[in-house]
Amino acid sequence: MDTIVVALLNGLIYGLLLFMISSGLTLIFGMMGILNFAHASFYMLGAYLAFAATRIFGFWGGIVFGTLGVALIGLLCERTLLRHVRRHGHVQELLLTFGLSFAFEELVKVFFGPYAVSYPVPESLRFAAFSIGAVQYPFFRVLIGATAIAMFAAIFCLLRFTRIGLVVRAAVLNPDMVRALGYNVSAIFSGMFAVGAGLAGLAGAMGGAYYTTNPNMATELGVIVFVVVVVGGLGSLSGALIASLVIGVLVNAVVYVDTTFGDLLAKVGIVSAETARTLLNVPIANTAGVLPFLLMLLVLMIRPQGIAGDERV
Amino acid sequence: MNANTLKLEGVAKTFGVVRVLEAIDLDIRQGERHALIGPNGAGKSTLFNLISGAFAPTSGLIALNGTSIGGLVPHALNRAGLGRSFQITHVFDRLTVRENILLAVMGRFGKRWSLMRIGPVWAQIAEETDRLIAGANLAAQAGKRAADLAYSEQRAVEICMTVGTGASVILLDEPTAGMSREETRHIIEFIRRMTEGRTLVMVEHDMDVVFTLADRVSVLVNGRILVTGTPAEIRSDPRVREAYLGDGEH
Amino acid sequence: MSRIVLVLLGLVAAAALVALPAFGGLATLNLANKIMIAAVFALGFNLLWGQAGLPSFGHAAYYGVGTFATIYMMDAIDRGGAFPTPLLPLVGAGAGFLFGLVAGWFATVRSGVYFAMITVAIAELVSALAQKWEGLFGGEAGIRSIRTNWGPLDFQSTGSVYYLTLVWTLIVLLALYGLQRSPFGLVVRGIRERELRIRFLGYDAHRVKTVVFALSAAVSGLAGGLLAISDESASMVLFGGAGSAFVVLNTVIGGAGVFLGPVIGAALTTSFAYFGSSLSHFWPFYLGVVFVVTVLFAPEGIGGAILARWRRVRDGAGPLIGLGDLAGLAGAVLAMAGLVLLIELTGTICSEAYRAEIASLKGVWPPVRIFAISFAPLTPWPWLVGLVALIGGSRLALGAGRPILPRLFAGRPGPRADQTRPGESA
């Protein structure tokens, strides 16, 4: 029972971390029609910048540096590179961000080498927030979840209750009209791109410390984030939230299932016990990495537009 | 022979809570040229999109030659005998004019998966393609990329494609939108010639076009058909005048 | 006239390819094999990307499936199976086709960026499966098999593998060229241009796209089969993101809009990787930079630039190479040299080996050797030279407000400008 609660909590917090990244991706897509392949690279850059700055500014300083640094990198990418290919259409933008994600990964290797770096949660933050039965639940994990929730609340309030938010929402729906009303839409877009990048950077600065910081982290997480936005429906914040949480919980819960595929199929009588021990000796817990993709295929079959996607496919 | 090629019975469409169309009944006769007009926001585009399969109707029946076509996917609609043009030109930009029209004709002759151009049917396809190109006065442009044509020529290519699929019912969405007087006169003549013997349904803003080309006109106001009749009847109908004058148009 | 030149060029190229084993060393043959395999893979990818306009970022899945299927068949032959060795690539193609049919059905439910994301996810699904399922994919070590001779044909030497690969490469080239020019190829290009129109002309676009996807996967699988024959092994590394990335790089750098573009790209990047990897750890970064620069300034790729240049010369609109072009090229080379200097310096002083050296020298920073030249990393000079070369070279290449590089590559206007139309992403 306790382990189930822990697994659910872990899943929830991993889901919230996913949401920190997928929300930026989906916001940028909704506004500019750009699918940013390099978005997960911002997550990676956040972790590495924070890691590098920790030595100088301390842990919290590193997190602030990582967030702001990545926001700045995002701003530069938008203003100097993406803007340049916009006239060639969305596919060219896609290729550009793809090239950037490739280049960022290699650039990180130039500075920090091809292996994981040691970017740990500082000793002072390693204490239990509470305990569930015999399990001490780490405070930092709770902090990641709380940060994600606070961030979501901030964005929601910004978009819903402020004048800037109103202009941004209008710019998403009809950029030409907003431009005609005298607002600087291009500046709004750049700003939102920087905010989205900064969010991914923050997620990386915190997630990198808790999980691992290595050059593959962008690719590994990027794929899951793509699954999240396909399942949730690209352009929809609420869809991204639901999909993030579902996938986070799913991936973390299945780890605790203690049987193999072979056993399962052998019990039903589809395969022999011999095959079960050799060819199909794959623990179901191992499917954690595969489940999000199966979920995506399922969603594509029954609801191609995603959970909260537009009806017009 | 069923006199009503295209038949709409009690067709309604709601988006969320907004009722855009309510209980549309419309009979379109074989071989006639039928225009849908009405003030802005009357639901013309929605009706057009329902007939052409972009959305499924919320309720009601749309039948083509006696079989229901409500909610069919585009390619199935086309094979059922319905062709459409688009308000914003939908030609294949980087293909030549000839290739554009060839694609329409090939499909009609069932050559959708062909790897070779061998056999007598390809001679027929080539002949039909040439006939359409000549009909549109595009022979000199046949080797040019569609993107390099003038706007009115692109519209002509588009109409050639719609006709080239062999559809018996042709839907035209504002065929003269964005054209000069001269071009409009030319394209009306062209449409009349190309759709000879077929049923034509069009949405059009330009009243001159409607009254020169259409055999019958349906006026759509607030999601309902106000009246259907010949151009002369429509012109003299007081309700139509009121609908348009009340709306401040024409 | 131009046709005769082309035929002559083709004959010379064919003669050179046939004669290569006679005077090329083992290393040359291996490189040629790698290039041809990469070219077949890129051609398969470009059927989907250049012809159907569908950007797949997960094509390694079909390549890898082809490799594994072929290895299993080689094993079966080794144990007495009757399958002819020269036809082995067809096993890879078949496996790629079947898998592509299923994956393609899912991926082509959506188009545009959704399609791109789904292909990535499917590739990752296969990669994750391969990592977990040791029984089938052999885990870290992978699986091995051996080439078996068939009748009088001996397949033990690198030369024989070279000829087998060459024959299959030519077959794929001819088949794809035929497909592109066929009526079906026209339908595929119609989908790239305007899918909605194709559907209203009575074509079942989803079905066409699924078949094109499967064909593309089949050619990729065939390339994987050629790899299996050449390497006699397969491992789950094949399914990693790098494979999917390189085929995109090859195709875009070479030019997706030109039939032989992917071949050009494959030849260049494979050679670059082959020689570059022995010179520097950071060669993938340079490749990434070249890719980004291509996307920014030469969207039609090198093949597109060659074609545009050839047309210009044929029409008498300009010389083959002008003075401005030379200046632009010189600028590009200078900028690249500056970038290489800066990156190598940074990479070296950030490396653990260098840190260890500093420690062993008690805090003295040893000189950094790049291409046999020593640089003192603590003086500003090497950094300054690198920066000046990078900035000056870029300015020369791009021209101050008057870009030379884009003009160098300018052929047609923006190739996919038409894809900005609304609803493209839907």
Side-chain angles (χ1 to χ4, degrees):
Chain A
M1 186 62 214
D2 294 347
T3 47
I4 293 177
V5 175
V6 171
L8 286 180
L9 256 181
N10 283 351
L12 207 65
I13 285 165
Y14 182 60
L16 283 169
L17 184 79
L18 281 180
F19 177 67
M20 269 167 108
I21 302 147
S22 55
S23 59
L25 185 72
T26 214
L27 266 182
I28 290 170
F29 180 82
M31 270 192 348
M32 305 154 91
I34 297 174
L35 175 70
N36 185 9
F37 246 98
H39 198 72
S41 306
F42 291 147
Y43 169 78
M44 175 188 69
L45 289 176
Y48 273 100
L49 285 184
F51 161 70
T54 301
R55 300 178 209 168
I56 308 163
F57 304 121
F59 183 73
W60 295 112
I63 286 187
V64 173
F65 183 81
T67 310
L68 296 181
V70 172
L72 184 69
I73 292 172
L75 186 72
L76 287 176
C77 283
E78 204 278 328
R79 290 214 83 103
T80 60
L81 300 175
L82 271 171
R83 195 149 288 200
H84 190 91
V85 294
R86 186 149 310 151
R87 66 199 160 88
H88 292 315
H90 288 320
V91 173
Q92 212 66 18
E93 287 170 339
L94 189 69
L95 281 179
L96 181 71
T97 58
F98 176 74
L100 286 178
S101 72
F102 187 87
F104 279 142
E105 184 175 325
E106 298 303 327
L107 192 63
V108 158
K109 287 182 193 164
V110 171
F111 283 96
F112 301 99
Y115 306 109
V117 294
S118 160
Y119 170 43
V121 179
E123 212 51 61
S124 58
L125 291 171
R126 286 196 200 167
F127 54 88
F130 47 84
S131 58
I132 304 162
V135 185
Q136 304 273 305
Y137 205 79
F139 166 76
F140 196 75
R141 215 168 239 232
V142 178
L143 188 67
I144 292 177
T147 311
I149 293 172
M151 193 201 76
F152 177 59
I155 289 191
F156 183 81
C157 292
L158 183 81
L159 286 179
R160 185 64 54 182
F161 302 119
T162 67
R163 194 177 159 74
I164 297 174
L166 184 68
V167 177
V168 168
R169 278 185 292 146
V172 174
L173 290 175
N174 193 341
D176 291 332
M177 192 63 208
V178 176
R179 200 170 284 129
L181 290 174
Y183 290 98
N184 186 349
V185 171
S186 125
I188 294 172
F189 278 3
S190 304
M192 280 312 292
F193 200 89
V195 168
L199 289 183
L202 175 61
M206 299 195 68
Y210 194 82
Y211 301 98
T212 56
T213 299
N214 66 41
N216 291 329
M217 63 196 281
T219 328
E220 281 162 8
L221 194 85
V223 189
I224 306 281
V225 169
F226 279 172
V227 171
V228 166
V229 290
V230 171
V231 169
L234 201 43
S236 154
L237 267 185
S238 52
L241 181 63
I242 297 168
S244 298
L245 294 181
V246 166
I247 287 173
V249 169
L250 208 61
V251 167
N252 278 278
V254 78
V255 175
Y256 293 89
V257 180
D258 184 27
T259 178
T260 71
F261 270 108
D263 288 343
L264 200 69
L265 293 177
K267 259 183 206 134
V268 190
I270 298 177
V271 296
S272 68
E274 170 63 22
T275 325
R277 268 198 312 278
T278 54
L279 187 66
L280 290 173
N281 188 20
V282 181
I284 289 193
N286 274 4
T287 58
V290 184
L291 270 183
F293 308 112
L294 295 181
L295 179 71
M296 180 195 77
L297 296 183
L298 195 72
V299 167
L300 282 174
M301 266 199 292
I302 53 182
R303 196 177 157 82
Q305 70 271 32
I307 294 171
D310 204 311
E311 195 186 328
R312 288 160 296 168
V313 179
Chain B
M1 188 69 220
N2 191 346
N4 296 323
T5 308
L6 186 65
K7 189 175 179 69
L8 278 72
E9 264 177 25
V11 170
K13 179 72 186 173
T14 52
F15 289 107
V17 291
V18 187
R19 253 183 118 70
V20 183
L21 291 176
E22 32 199 324
I24 301 282
D25 294 314
L26 193 61
D27 287 330
I28 291 175
R29 297 174 195 149
Q30 166 107 41
E32 77 170 337
R33 299 195 187 89
H34 199 109
L36 288 170
I37 64 169
N40 284 331
K44 299 186 298 284
S45 299
T46 307
L47 186 57
F48 190 90
N49 281 326
L50 286 179
I51 300 174
S52 62
F55 318 123
T58 311
S59 63
L61 178 80
I62 305 175
L64 182 68
N65 298 323
T67 36
S68 169
I69 57 166
L72 278 189
V73 292
H75 68 86
L77 265 178
N78 183 270
R79 292 183 202 176
L82 190 97
R84 71 163 290 185
S85 76
F86 295 81
Q87 194 173 347
I88 301 162
T89 315
H90 273 45
V91 293
F92 305 111
D93 284 343
R94 286 184 291 172
L95 303 186
T96 65
V97 170
R98 206 187 142 73
E99 286 172 327
N100 266 271
I101 296 168
L102 185 63
L103 269 172
V105 179
M106 253 163 61
R108 184 210 310 183
F109 284 87
K111 291 289 174 190
R112 296 192 183 93
W113 295 91
S114 209
L115 290 177
M116 309 264 183
R117 285 172 217 218
I118 297 171
V121 71
W122 281 101
Q124 262 178 294
I125 291 172
E127 197 180 306
E128 175 65 11
T129 307
D130 287 338
R131 198 183 62 79
L132 283 165
I133 292 173
N137 285 329
L138 287 170
Q141 325 269 43
K144 270 198 199 170
R145 298 192 322 162
D148 299 337
L149 296 184
Y151 175 68
S152 63
E153 289 170 331
Q154 289 181 346
R155 299 296 299 188
V157 170
E158 167 126 36
I159 289 166
C160 270
M161 279 198 275
T162 311
V163 174
T165 60
S168 60
V169 176
I170 290 167
L171 299 177
L172 298 181
D173 195 357
E174 302 203 19
T176 68
M179 286 196 185
S180 69
R181 283 278 126 208
E182 183 57 38
E183 286 170 335
T184 303
R185 246 197 308 281
H186 184 248
I187 207 97
I188 294 178
E189 211 28 66
F190 172 65
I191 292 172
R192 198 197 293 280
R193 197 152 31 89
M194 297 303 276
T195 59
E196 200 65 56
R198 297 169 205 255
T199 311
L200 180 69
V201 182
M202 60 178 183
V203 167
E204 182 57 69
H205 275 298
D206 188 328
M207 288 302 146
D208 286 344
V209 175
V210 171
F211 290 129
T212 27
L213 198 54
D215 302 320
R216 287 202 305 156
V217 179
S218 290
V219 184
L220 206 61
V221 178
N222 292 332
R224 293 173 175 280
I225 299 235
L226 186 67
V227 56
T228 299
T230 63
E233 286 165 6
I234 295 297
R235 239 193 278 253
S236 58
D237 194 302
R239 289 170 298 171
V240 177
R241 283 171 185 242
E242 194 191 331
Y244 268 93
L245 289 176
D247 199 57
E249 233 186 47
H250 293 262
Chain C
M1 173 62 202
S2 60
R3 182 158 293 227
I4 296 170
V5 173
L6 273 185
V7 170
L8 278 177
L9 272 177
L11 283 176
V12 170
L17 284 172
V18 169
L20 190 67
F23 49 81
L26 203 59
T28 317
L29 282 188
N30 273 328
L31 177 62
N33 265 344
K34 280 199 167 75
I35 288 177
M36 287 191 291
I37 293 169
V40 171
F41 187 18
L43 282 166
F45 169 82
N46 201 37
L47 174 62
L48 203 54
W49 164 230
Q51 294 295 302
L54 294 169
S56 162
F57 291 93
H59 246 48
Y62 316 100
Y63 182 65
V65 163
T67 314
F68 272 96
T70 309
I71 285 286
Y72 272 105
M73 183 54 99
M74 284 163 76
D75 212 36
I77 297 173
D78 187 35
R79 282 188 275 112
F83 197 84
T85 302
L87 298 185
L88 272 174
L90 286 182
V91 175
F97 184 82
L98 290 179
F99 180 39
L101 216 49
V102 178
W105 188 91
F106 282 105
T108 56
V109 165
R110 310 292 306 263
S111 39
V113 294
Y114 277 95
F115 174 86
M117 288 191 288
I118 296 164
T119 53
V120 171
I122 290 176
E124 187 58 29
L125 171 68
V126 177
S127 174
L129 267 179
Q131 280 174 33
K132 306 286 181 198
W133 196 348
E134 280 200 25
L136 191 63
F137 295 97
E140 293 274 345
I143 54 173
R144 308 191 65 83
S145 186
I146 53 161
R147 293 186 294 266
T148 311
N149 297 337
W150 184 66
L153 294 175
D154 181 302
F155 287 105
Q156 301 315 314
S157 69
T158 308
S160 62
V161 173
Y162 169 82
Y163 280 121
L164 185 65
T165 312
L166 180 62
V167 168
W168 276 105
T169 305
L170 292 177
I171 291 173
V172 167
L173 269 174
L174 285 176
L176 284 178
Y177 190 68
L179 185 71
Q180 183 175 328
R181 304 203 41 167
S182 74
F184 179 68
L186 186 61
V187 178
V188 174
R189 271 177 291 148
I191 285 180
R192 176 190 72 195
E193 295 298 308
R194 228 170 262 270
E195 185 181 331
L196 190 61
R197 219 327 159 205
I198 276 289
R199 294 165 69 190
F200 272 106
L201 292 181
Y203 297 90
D204 185 342
H206 185 207
R207 198 185 273 188
V208 174
K209 286 193 292 183
T210 305
V211 169
V212 174
F213 193 104
L215 288 174
S216 166
V219 177
S220 308
L222 194 144
L226 291 172
L227 180 78
I229 294 170
S230 152
D231 284 5
E232 300 182 296
S233 69
S235 86
M236 64 185 198
V237 176
L238 288 169
F239 294 110
S244 300
F246 274 107
V247 76
V248 176
L249 261 60
N250 287 345
T251 306
V252 171
I253 290 174
V258 185
F259 182 69
L260 287 178
V263 179
I264 298 172
L268 287 177
T269 54
T270 310
S271 310
F272 181 73
Y274 189 81
F275 297 112
S277 57
S278 59
L279 293 175
S280 163
H281 293 306
F282 310 122
W283 66 271
F285 175 72
Y286 304 129
L287 197 58
V289 171
V290 168
F291 176 79
V292 169
V293 170
T294 309
V295 172
L296 281 172
F297 300 111
E300 285 285 358
I302 292 169
I306 293 174
L307 198 68
R309 192 48 66 117
W310 188 65
R311 286 203 181 119
R312 212 175 80 179
V313 173
R314 184 194 58 188
D315 299 344
L320 191 60
I321 290 175
L323 212 60
D325 303 333
L326 285 178
L329 278 178
V333 170
L334 189 64
M336 204 64 205
L339 182 73
V340 169
L341 177 60
L342 290 175
I343 289 295
E344 294 298 326
L345 276 172
T346 315
T348 309
I349 61 171
C350 287
S351 69
E352 283 185 21
Y354 192 79
R355 296 265 146 217
E357 246 183 289
I358 295 177
S360 72
L361 293 172
K362 300 194 172 53
V364 179
W365 289 43
V368 176
R369 290 181 68 81
I370 300 167
F371 305 127
I373 305 170
S374 288
F375 295 93
L378 285 181
T379 60
W381 295 111
W383 302 97
L384 220 58
V385 167
L387 267 179
V388 167
L390 176 60
I391 294 170
S394 321
R395 287 188 71 88
L396 185 60
L398 301 177
R402 202 169 50 87
I404 291 171
L405 196 63
R407 266 195 296 131
L408 191 64
F409 287 102
R412 287 163 267 172
R416 304 187 202 288
D418 50 302
Q419 297 199 5
T420 45
R421 65 181 167 267
E424 208 272 330
S425 57

